Amino acid sequence: MAVFTLLLALPSCVSYEKLKYVTDLDSEIVLQDDGLQVTRVKKTIQPQDYLYIKIYSLEEQVTGIFYNRNSSYNTDLKLISYQVNDEGNIDFPFVGNIFVQDLTIEEAKDKIQKELSKYLNNTSVTVMFVGNKITILGEVGAPGEYPYFDDKINVFQAIGFANGVADYGNKENILLIREKNNIVSYNYLDLTKKNIVESEYYYLLPNDIIIVDPIRAKYRNLRQRDLAMLSTILSGITTIVSLYFAFNRN
């Protein structure tokens, strides 16, 4: 009976609140709160980014000129991409180097369109990011590296890629590792707080790393498992020793 009671008590080691994402919201707050102000800063183009650039023209020959077979390919969408070099340029057919560093996608599109207009008429340009990726590790459903194609995603979307935080994941202390301008920073996010959307780290950047640490209950669970295994091993050894002496007496 005592063992049965202990087994029932074990799940309670994990607090219900620990299993929730946003815990400082209730129904009254949701109804009355006008919402938090969020400033979404658009991602700008940086060296080593990959850009998909498509030129549309009424003339097929013109379109074919910009089909750069030496460009890098995205295996999912089969998009042709141009890599931004260390100087912030893309090497574009006919035009040559076009400086796009620190431009948004819309600004880059306008600049490429303007440069093309010097050589060609009646063309249209599409520009988008490709090759962006983030890494998610730790207590999530499916750790790994995940590509994305929007200009920016938030931390909840990213964790959704990895099938969410696992049962023993600590939602209150998510580590975000970011390298920017050759400086690596370590930042902590609390997914249980509604004001997370005000954090400058709410929206992720390419190559960000998210690490979800386990809550203490997991360590207790593992310790109990190890103790149970040790107890089984010791019991087996005791049985073998007892049998050994029993046979020796005979």
Side-chain angles (χ1 to χ4, degrees), residues 134-169:
I134 55 172
T135 301
I136 307 172
L137 303 172
E139 295 295 313
V140 291
E145 186 177 84
Y146 292 89
Y148 66 95
F149 305 99
D150 296 330
D151 62 331
K152 197 172 294 185
I153 60 172
N154 63 51
V155 63
F156 288 107
Q157 290 173 304
I159 291 178
F161 293 163
N163 294 335
V165 176
D167 291 344
Y168 287 109

Side-chain angles (χ1 to χ4, degrees), residues 7 15 28 42 54 66 149 169 174 235:
L7 291 175
S15 167
E28 292 182 359
K42 287 189 175 182
K54 177 70 174 178
F66 299 97
F149 305 99
I174 304 296
S235 177

Side-chain angles (χ1 to χ4, degrees), residues 78-93:
K78 303 299 183 183
L79 300 179
I80 303 167
S81 60
Y82 294 83
Q83 186 177 20
V84 182
N85 64 23
D86 292 337
E87 288 72 42
N89 298 308
I90 56 170
D91 185 7
F92 208 66

Side-chain angles (χ1 to χ4, degrees), residues 11-236:
S12 64
C13 293
V14 183
S15 167
Y16 171 69
E17 294 300 319
K18 292 282 189 179
L19 300 178
K20 296 173 65 178
Y21 279 96
V22 180
T23 59
D24 65 339
L25 281 178
D26 55 39
S27 57
E28 292 182 359
I29 293 176
V30 172
L31 292 174
Q32 296 175 5
D33 198 345
D34 292 329
L36 298 169
Q37 296 296 321
V38 181
T39 301
R40 179 174 178 175
V41 180
K42 287 189 175 182
K43 170 179 162 48
T44 57
I45 299 169
Q46 299 300 319
Q48 310 309 317
D49 279 345
Y50 288 88
L51 302 177
Y52 166 61
I53 304 173
K54 177 70 174 178
I55 308 300
Y56 297 93
S57 173
L58 296 176
E59 301 180 23
E60 291 185 6
Q61 290 181 342
V62 172
T63 302
I65 290 173
F66 299 97
Y67 187 86
N68 187 353
R69 297 183 181 277
N70 293 322
S71 298
S72 299
Y73 284 81
N74 179 279
T75 57
D76 291 329
L77 299 181
K78 303 299 183 183
L79 300 179
I80 303 167
S81 60
Y82 294 83
Q83 186 177 20
V84 182
N85 64 23
D86 292 337
E87 288 72 42
N89 298 308
I90 56 170
D91 185 7
F92 208 66
F94 274 115
V95 179
N97 285 334
I98 302 178
F99 186 75
V100 295
Q101 183 174 340
D102 295 327
L103 300 181
T104 65
I105 285 294
E106 287 299 320
E107 291 170 341
K109 173 184 173 181
D110 292 340
K111 186 169 186 178
I112 294 170
Q113 179 78 58
K114 184 177 180 180
E115 293 293 332
L116 277 177
S117 66
K118 299 176 182 178
Y119 306 94
L120 301 169
N121 296 319
N122 301 319
T123 58
S124 178
V125 179
T126 295
V127 181
M128 63 183 289
F129 286 110
V130 293
N132 288 340
K133 61 183 182 298
I134 55 172
T135 301
I136 307 172
L137 303 172
E139 295 295 313
V140 291
E145 186 177 84
Y146 292 89
Y148 66 95
F149 305 99
D150 296 330
D151 62 331
K152 197 172 294 185
I153 60 172
N154 63 51
V155 63
F156 288 107
Q157 290 173 304
I159 291 178
F161 293 163
N163 294 335
V165 176
D167 291 344
Y168 287 109
N170 186 354
K171 301 181 181 71
E172 298 179 358
N173 205 33
I174 304 296
L175 175 61
L176 171 63
I177 303 175
R178 173 173 295 173
E179 181 177 354
K180 190 174 182 180
N181 299 325
N182 296 321
I183 297 175
V184 177
S185 63
Y186 297 82
N187 316 282
Y188 289 91
L189 298 171
D190 187 345
L191 301 189
T192 68
K193 302 300 183 183
K194 66 177 182 179
N195 62 1
I196 185 178
V197 299
E198 296 179 305
S199 169
E200 62 179 298
Y201 303 108
Y202 177 64
Y203 285 104
L204 304 181
L205 297 178
N207 302 315
D208 277 354
I209 299 173
I210 296 174
I211 300 177
V212 181
D213 287 331
I215 55 179
R216 294 185 181 277
K218 179 169 184 178
Y219 291 113
R220 290 196 295 270
N221 185 55
L222 292 175
R223 193 158 53 239
Q224 289 169 354
R225 186 192 65 183
D226 292 342
L227 288 174
M229 184 180 299
L230 179 61
S231 176
T232 301
I233 294 173
L234 291 176
S235 177

